Amino acid sequence: MLAYVIRRMAYGFVTVLGVLALLFFLFFLYATPDEMARRSLGEKAPPQAIHDWVVKHGYDKPAWSWSDPKESQLYNHYHSMLTFNFGTSDADDSLIAPQIRKRMIPSLVLTLPLFFTGITLGIVFALFVAYFRDTYIDRMGVVIAVLAMSVSVLLYIIGGQYLIGKLLRWFPISGFDPDPALIARFMALPWAIGLLSGLGESVRFYRTVFIEETSRDYVRTARAKGCGDGRVMGAHVLRNAMIPILTRVVVSIPFLFMGSLLLESFFGIPGLGSMMVDAIQGNDFSTLRVMVFISSLLFIGGQIATDISYTLADPRVRLD
Amino acid sequence: MRIRRVRLAWVAWIASSALLLSCSNNPYPGADDTVKVRYGALPSAPKTLDPAVTYSSLEHKITANVYETLLEYHYLKRPYTLMPGLAQAVPEARPLGDGRVAYRFDVRPGMLFQDDPCFELGEVGRRTREILASDFAFQLMRIGDPEIPSQVVQTFSKLDGFSQFRERLKQLRESEEGFAELRIDLQYRRAGPIEGIRVDGDTGLELVLSEVYPQLLYWFAMPFTAPVPWEAVVYYDGKEGRDFFRDHPVSSGPFKIAEYDRFFRIVMVRNENWYGVRHPEWKAPGTVYPSSGEPGDAAAGLLDPDYVGRSLPLLDRIEYRIEKESIPYFNKFLQGYYDAAGIIRESFDKVVQQGRLSSEMKARGMRLEKSVDPAISYLGFNMNDAVVGTPGGDKARKLRQAMSLAVDAEEYKRIFINGRGILAQTPIPPGLFGYDPDYRNPYRTPDLDAARKLLEEAGYTGGIDPETGEPLHLTFDIGDASTRTRVTYGFFIDAWAELGLDVELAATNYNQFREKVKKGSYQIFTWGWIADYPDPENFLFLLWGPMAQATSLGPNTANFDHPRFNELFLEMKDRPNDVRRIALIREMREILERERPWIELLHSESYALYHGWLKNLKPAGLSLPQAKYMDIDAGLRAAQRVEWNDPIVWPAWAVTGIGIAIVIPGILTFLRERQ
């Protein structure tokens, strides 16, 4: 297994290098250093200030130089990422690493409860409809789930803010407060919307998995031996359906740290998702690359973790 | 088993009821019905609060309230008028004979900075100290520091020795080992002095400029020149858990920062050390509510006898939150959680009807205040272009004139910007010296017949280019590829199509657009400008030859370079506001009228919508320290919030009930069948 993990990590390393190169070239196809400077300094910045900014941030150097690689942008790009030396933001010269640590918290406040309740409710509902298979409850469950997954998240957000926040006035329309007494009040709506927008799809998915399992022989055997419904569904079926569930779940764990782009933007949650949106909008290459770099590391970590979790869920699986 | 299930259901029921009953849409933690808190929002996080650097109106909303300046603008008077702030008086220029001029500021004695631990650097146990003339000099030196990305270096380079100081500082840092590690004020002392900045005792500050520059005084009403204690810059270095100075202003203004989390919440509270609070008996102009304004202020309730002459500030606390999306912001405003708001496009018709506040909003006690911004938007021609520009000679001039006659800005304003603005006849907006309300630019009154005739004279009869036999093809470059902008600017394309011209809308993203401008490969473009300070020079320089984009990367994107205009500009810019200046501006106006480098569109109008409990708000296009003049009726606000925000809970019960009613029979049937 160790050899397998090391091999996967090596592949992952190559992938990260590729991602960084791609980001570098794509970004500079889109934005010029002058433009980055203007976005940082303001539209009225005089030419000298723009020039000084470009030089100070090293964007006047060649993309690559064979004679003096250390004086090239690409070298600096890789060097600062691979040594985890994230530096300062191109938008406002603030340090990036402390900002990430700080803004991870609101992201986690949003995503962690969403993740756990999402899985729990998804599985519970799916078990429920799978148990009532072929009754109108099942059929209605499927219809509602399909409806729920067909609606755009954006509509949930705007509709939710309008209905719950504006018309019914249950919770604030948007906002965030780290005060523990207020967290639930602010997060209730984004949690509910996040849950609702994701639940349809996961119920459908888990239901399919469970239904496939409930038709297997071991379920009939268990029932024949007098095993109760709860035990059949909760212990046997759930456990055997673990592999597809893990595939879905473990790979998404690392991304909890990255927050949610849409929910954070619309609800004014100062997390990493909105940090990413700001970086894209502000031509902030140095922040953007850190976010992309971390995302790709997390993605690869998630993949490896998924593979390992298989061996834990199913002793028959071996990683060679 | 059965009983336990029933009990569980009850617990769930009670818990959810409790949640619903306790729910509230109030986004604020504490009670605020007795404290005067002003709630506002910023569309994005401020980048920095370093007064040498901040240049956006967003950041000035914070810095203008915590950094007091030597001069400030009168809150109510228009045209904008300077009055003394931390200075005893607005200084007069004193010519030195050799073309140079001097200004002397006398700083009021006995004023203090806010209490801050940084002052221990000067003396153990000290919490604050007096604001001295040297603190202003220090800040001017910071502007000249090449390590600080200040954008106003050019302006202050007119100070004698300013550029040399900048150069010396750079050289010392590069050449002398250990110099860059010296304390910053010592570095400045070594690289200094700047001959044009003379500190005379604790309160005298004399500035010497190498040329006449009357606009200098405006810069002393902006946070760039606010006093900064060296202790703050040294102490807030980001090390050992301390903030960076850019995030930690040490206030000399009516408010100080109490909380600064720039992505989330910024809280300012009264600064007890502010000179207006410590010395109300001085009745300094910047510390009392004004007793006069412009006509109409009294009718707008801005000269309420309850306020006139009262000591400032009137608020206890200002809270800004970051609201990136305008719709939630506006909705929270409607719920009473923000005191004022701009009007979002989506709700414009609901709020404003026939240019007035709708009766629905009026019934809620809201008010609408309009003001014309010191700004202009325009369509421009690239005067270096062979077809539309100067090389095209008379032919091109007539083409520009014809195109100008085809553009109906009134219609544009009505359709696309909800009528918010007044038609521009020249670059100079209202409220500035040189604005003439009676002037009508003959080329800015739409007249298609005259336009067609001009085209004919230019050799493009019916818009046909004789060389190709096809309609004359031009491109109109814009830096936004969204559908909305395409439709908006399609309006002008259609207008020119009426003349038979084939203008192509080249919509690219903003970066690509800037690149085209840099390369000079554009014919028609659109742009705008907002005043830095209320002087016609700040608008007419946009068409001054030496500011041309092509030669100096300056803001003269039209690359307009007219010898006579340039000459007039040079004379106009340094003149006091007298008859001669008016005459110069008139002649410049005539040149622009004839040459048409721009098709002037609009001076935009700001609509400030605010609740009845917010008092004394007067919209201003410039970044002024407004907060100290405002007041809040917190009791009224609390009462209205309660009235407007009673949660409606029954739908929750209804949905739950329906859900149960649907599912239970199914379960029962299923179980019965299985048994």
Side-chain angles (χ1 to χ4, degrees):
Chain A
M1 180 155 114
L2 188 68
Y4 175 85
V5 171
I6 290 172
R7 201 164 63 236
R8 283 297 299 264
M9 281 171 87
Y11 291 151
F13 182 71
V14 177
T15 313
V16 169
L17 292 186
V19 166
L20 286 177
L22 207 62
L23 175 72
F24 183 84
F25 289 110
L26 284 180
F27 185 87
F28 286 104
L29 271 184
Y30 168 76
T32 61
D34 278 10
E35 207 34 58
M36 296 163 68
R38 198 168 283 110
R39 207 62 74 83
S40 167
L41 296 173
E43 192 57 43
K44 286 184 173 180
Q48 185 60 41
I50 302 264
H51 175 78
D52 291 348
W53 187 95
V54 171
V55 172
K56 190 178 165 200
H57 291 79
Y59 292 117
D60 58 329
K61 292 178 182 161
W64 179 251
S65 150
W66 290 110
S67 55
D68 191 2
K70 285 195 173 179
E71 278 302 300
S72 71
Q73 288 190 47
L74 210 52
Y75 175 87
N76 286 329
H77 175 52
Y78 276 113
H79 186 262
S80 45
M81 286 304 101
L82 298 179
T83 54
F84 289 84
N85 187 359
F86 293 158
T88 57
S89 151
D90 283 338
D92 54 29
D93 288 328
S94 58
L95 288 170
I96 295 173
Q99 219 192 104
I100 288 183
R101 280 195 293 275
K102 191 168 171 203
R103 295 181 75 168
M104 194 190 284
I105 295 163
S107 280
L108 286 175
V109 169
L110 172 69
T111 52
L112 271 186
L114 203 55
F115 174 73
F116 288 113
T117 34
I119 296 173
T120 319
L121 283 184
I123 291 177
V124 168
F125 283 148
L127 282 172
F128 184 73
V129 289
Y131 179 75
F132 291 103
R133 194 182 165 182
D134 291 336
T135 67
Y136 80 92
I137 293 182
D138 178 29
R139 280 188 291 274
M140 208 168 60
V142 172
V143 170
I144 293 175
V146 171
L147 270 180
M149 62 195 269
S150 318
V151 177
S152 142
V153 186
L154 223 54
L155 187 69
Y156 278 113
I157 294 175
I158 294 170
Q161 287 184 331
Y162 182 76
L163 186 74
I164 309 286
K166 195 177 173 196
L167 287 186
L168 303 178
R169 308 160 196 150
W170 292 354
F171 303 109
I173 294 172
S174 68
F176 179 80
D177 202 305
D179 183 346
L182 282 171
I183 280 187
R185 187 189 291 178
F186 277 110
M187 300 313 274
L189 196 51
W191 280 336
I193 286 170
L195 210 55
L196 207 65
S197 62
L199 205 55
E201 199 226 335
S202 52
V203 169
R204 285 275 296 130
F205 176 81
Y206 295 133
R207 176 188 167 273
T208 318
V209 173
F210 292 143
I211 286 199
E212 204 181 307
E213 287 298 321
T214 45
S215 56
R216 287 187 196 271
D217 289 345
Y218 72 86
V219 175
R220 201 179 314 140
T221 314
R223 286 231 168 90
K225 289 173 100 176
C227 196
D229 287 332
R231 200 170 154 69
V232 168
M233 296 303 280
H236 297 290
V237 172
L238 186 59
R239 178 141 188 146
N240 279 289
M242 230 37 203
I243 291 261
I245 292 178
L246 284 175
T247 314
R248 241 179 94 87
V249 169
V250 179
V251 81
S252 63
I253 291 177
F255 289 96
L256 299 179
F257 295 96
M258 302 304 288
S260 154
L261 295 186
L262 281 178
L263 283 176
E264 286 184 15
S265 283
F266 275 83
F267 282 96
I269 300 165
L272 292 179
S274 61
M275 184 169 165
M276 182 101 163
V277 173
D278 291 346
I280 294 170
Q281 286 174 348
N283 276 0
D284 183 353
F285 177 67
S286 59
T287 304
L288 190 62
R289 68 176 179 183
V290 173
M291 304 300 281
V292 170
F293 177 63
I294 295 179
S295 301
S296 55
L297 288 186
L298 289 173
F299 181 77
I300 287 157
Q303 298 260 310
I304 298 174
T306 310
D307 287 351
I308 296 173
S309 69
Y310 287 165
T311 61
L312 303 178
D314 188 342
R316 289 169 300 181
V317 177
R318 292 210 184 286
L319 301 177
D320 296 313
Chain B
M1 187 75 172
R2 181 101 193 218
I3 292 166
R4 210 200 303 161
R5 258 187 213 158
V6 171
R7 203 177 286 154
L8 208 69
W10 270 111
V11 170
W13 184 271
I14 291 165
S16 57
S17 313
L19 188 76
L20 272 176
L21 288 176
S22 72
C23 72
S24 151
N25 65 359
N26 187 349
Y28 305 127
D32 52 12
D33 48 352
T34 53
V35 201
K36 291 181 172 181
V37 192
R38 156 106 167 85
Y39 293 104
L42 303 174
S44 65
K47 283 178 182 159
T48 166
L49 298 183
D50 183 338
V53 183
T54 54
Y55 207 153
S56 74
S57 52
L58 183 153
E59 287 152 359
H60 282 183
K61 281 191 176 176
I62 317 285
T63 51
N65 296 315
V66 296
Y67 283 113
E68 187 76 69
T69 44
L70 283 166
L71 306 177
E72 56 188 284
Y73 291 105
H74 191 283
Y75 184 51
L76 300 175
K77 280 187 188 159
R78 302 290 183 273
Y80 294 96
T81 314
L82 286 175
M83 61 180 198
L86 296 180
Q88 304 265 23
V90 180
E92 298 278 333
R94 185 162 51 85
L96 295 180
D98 49 357
R100 297 183 307 148
V101 280
Y103 288 90
R104 186 188 163 91
F105 288 98
D106 285 303
V107 182
R108 290 170 192 279
M111 298 182 299
L112 299 178
F113 286 108
Q114 77 166 91
D115 285 359
D116 193 278
C118 75
F119 291 110
E120 295 230 15
L121 281 182
E123 196 182 300
V124 178
R126 190 163 75 170
R127 302 298 295 174
T128 180
R129 72 166 170 80
E130 200 174 323
I131 299 172
L132 304 171
S134 56
D135 296 313
F136 296 92
F138 177 69
Q139 172 66 359
L140 290 172
M141 288 174 141
R142 292 189 70 237
I143 293 175
D145 187 334
E147 286 294 307
I148 295 173
S150 179
Q151 293 180 42
V152 292
V153 177
Q154 203 68 42
T155 305
F156 289 97
S157 298
K158 295 182 174 72
L159 288 169
D160 269 356
F162 189 82
S163 307
Q164 291 84 333
F165 166 78
R166 189 177 169 84
E167 201 47 45
R168 273 199 305 275
L169 192 59
K170 194 174 168 208
Q171 271 171 6
L172 280 168
R173 280 186 184 146
E174 278 166 10
S175 59
E176 200 177 303
E177 210 177 315
F179 181 83
E181 280 73 50
L182 285 175
R183 217 172 68 186
I184 193 74
D185 58 316
L186 301 178
Q187 288 185 35
Y188 291 173
R189 202 169 297 167
R190 282 276 313 282
I194 299 176
E195 294 82 44
I197 304 174
R198 283 204 287 266
V199 175
D200 178 12
D202 282 350
T203 58
L205 180 71
E206 185 155 271
L207 304 175
V208 180
L209 283 90
S210 54
E211 56 179 280
V212 178
Y213 182 56
Q215 290 84 8
L216 177 85
L217 292 182
Y218 294 122
W219 295 98
F220 282 88
M222 292 191 239
F224 298 112
T225 54
V228 167
W230 64 266
E231 294 94 329
V233 181
V234 173
Y235 185 78
Y236 292 107
D237 55 0
K239 290 176 191 149
E240 294 166 25
R242 295 188 292 267
D243 292 339
F244 283 100
F245 173 67
R246 47 182 290 158
D247 298 330
H248 194 114
V250 172
S251 173
S252 48
F255 296 94
K256 60 183 178 185
I257 303 271
E259 185 185 333
Y260 184 65
D261 184 338
R262 65 194 184 102
F263 295 100
F264 157 59
R265 182 168 62 192
I266 297 153
V267 180
M268 289 178 271
V269 295
R270 275 167 80 98
N271 173 15
E272 298 302 333
N273 288 0
W274 186 54
Y275 74 116
V277 176
R278 287 183 64 242
H279 298 288
E281 73 283 2
W282 288 357
K283 296 271 175 211
T287 64
V288 287
Y289 194 87
S291 56
S292 62
E294 66 172 334
D297 280 348
L302 288 165
L303 288 169
D304 188 335
D306 280 353
Y307 288 110
V308 169
R310 250 174 79 180
S311 289
L312 306 175
L314 302 166
L315 298 173
D316 296 315
R317 196 175 152 89
I318 306 168
E319 292 197 11
Y320 278 112
R321 279 170 175 71
I322 309 301
E323 288 279 357
K324 284 189 200 156
E325 299 294 330
S326 57
I327 297 178
Y329 171 32
F330 191 71
N331 283 329
K332 279 192 242 177
F333 163 74
L334 290 181
Q335 292 175 336
Y337 295 120
Y338 285 119
D339 302 319
I343 305 173
I344 54 169
R345 205 177 290 136
E346 290 79 358
S347 294
F348 194 86
D349 294 336
K350 200 180 156 197
V351 177
V352 180
Q353 281 155 5
Q354 276 124 32
R356 293 238 186 96
L357 195 61
S358 69
S359 46
E360 187 192 343
M361 297 295 141
K362 239 183 232 158
R364 298 182 128 217
M366 278 184 205
R367 307 195 53 175
L368 177 70
E369 204 66 60
K370 298 186 208 173
S371 77
V372 183
D373 301 326
I376 179 147
S377 60
Y378 59 89
L379 304 170
F381 295 98
N382 178 6
M383 296 300 279
N384 288 345
D385 184 78
V387 181
V388 301
T390 319
D394 193 41
K395 194 175 167 172
R397 182 180 305 117
K398 291 207 158 108
L399 173 64
R400 294 193 301 272
Q401 290 171 343
M403 289 176 80
S404 175
L405 279 170
V407 171
D408 186 347
E410 182 71 54
E411 189 71 356
Y412 168 73
K413 172 179 103 168
R414 189 182 64 78
I415 300 175
F416 294 103
I417 56 168
N418 299 114
R420 295 160 79 161
I422 64 164
L423 300 193
Q425 310 290 333
T426 76
I428 303 173
L432 265 64
F433 183 82
Y435 173 75
D436 180 356
D438 301 323
Y439 168 69
R440 289 284 164 278
N441 184 333
Y443 291 102
R444 292 305 304 118
T445 313
D447 184 343
L448 283 180
D449 292 330
R452 289 199 184 99
K453 197 157 161 281
L454 278 166
L455 267 192
E456 207 176 310
E457 287 169 26
Y460 301 113
T461 310
I464 303 295
D465 182 358
E467 278 181 30
T468 58
E470 305 267 314
L472 179 65
H473 182 87
L474 299 170
T475 48
F476 176 19
D477 287 290
I478 55 172
D480 182 346
S482 69
T483 319
R484 193 186 151 75
T485 5
R486 279 171 192 273
V487 174
T488 310
Y489 292 109
F491 175 85
F492 301 113
I493 304 288
D494 293 346
W496 293 321
E498 295 263 313
L499 300 178
L501 298 172
D502 169 27
V503 183
E504 181 196 346
L505 189 66
T508 53
N509 74 39
Y510 190 69
N511 294 341
Q512 289 168 317
F513 171 66
R514 287 298 319 207
E515 206 52 23
K516 278 196 222 171
V517 169
K518 201 176 162 190
K519 285 190 197 136
S521 54
Y522 58 105
Q523 286 183 307
I524 308 167
F525 64 97
T526 176
W527 217 284
W529 185 261
I530 302 173
D532 294 305
Y533 45 81
D535 193 276
E537 178 262 353
N538 195 231
F539 283 86
L540 292 173
F541 94 115
L542 296 171
L543 288 157
W544 185 40
M547 278 289 157
Q549 167 73 31
T551 48
S552 69
L553 299 176
N556 177 359
T557 316
N559 293 315
F560 184 61
D561 191 3
H562 189 283
R564 179 66 188 147
F565 185 93
N566 294 348
E567 205 177 300
L568 291 165
F569 175 80
L570 281 180
E571 194 187 338
M572 182 280 302
K573 81 181 175 75
D574 297 335
R575 277 207 77 80
N577 290 341
D578 57 6
V579 183
R580 173 71 187 149
R581 201 172 196 213
I582 286 280
L584 292 168
I585 290 174
R586 289 233 165 108
E587 198 183 336
M588 294 171 86
R589 179 174 91 187
E590 277 160 30
I591 295 173
L592 296 181
E593 180 188 302
R594 186 175 63 245
E595 291 297 332
R596 301 282 77 218
W598 284 8
I599 302 176
E600 299 86 352
L601 295 176
L602 300 164
H603 306 299
S604 58
E605 241 178 331
S606 293
Y607 281 25
L609 184 64
Y610 59 101
H611 289 293
W613 58 72
L614 178 65
K615 310 285 182 192
N616 308 335
L617 180 142
K618 173 151 181 163
L622 298 175
S623 302
L624 313 182
Q626 291 175 301
K628 64 180 176 185
Y629 297 99
M630 290 186 202
D631 194 16
I632 292 279
D633 183 344
L636 175 66
R637 175 169 65 191
Q640 296 211 293
R641 276 189 193 161
V642 170
E643 188 187 321
W644 295 341
N645 294 299
D646 193 20
I648 303 169
V649 187
W650 64 263
W653 303 127
V655 169
T656 320
I658 293 171
I660 292 170
I662 292 175
V663 175
I664 296 284
I667 296 176
L668 293 178
T669 319
F670 181 82
L671 292 178
R672 208 178 309 130
E673 277 171 12
R674 273 201 45 187
Q675 277 166 4

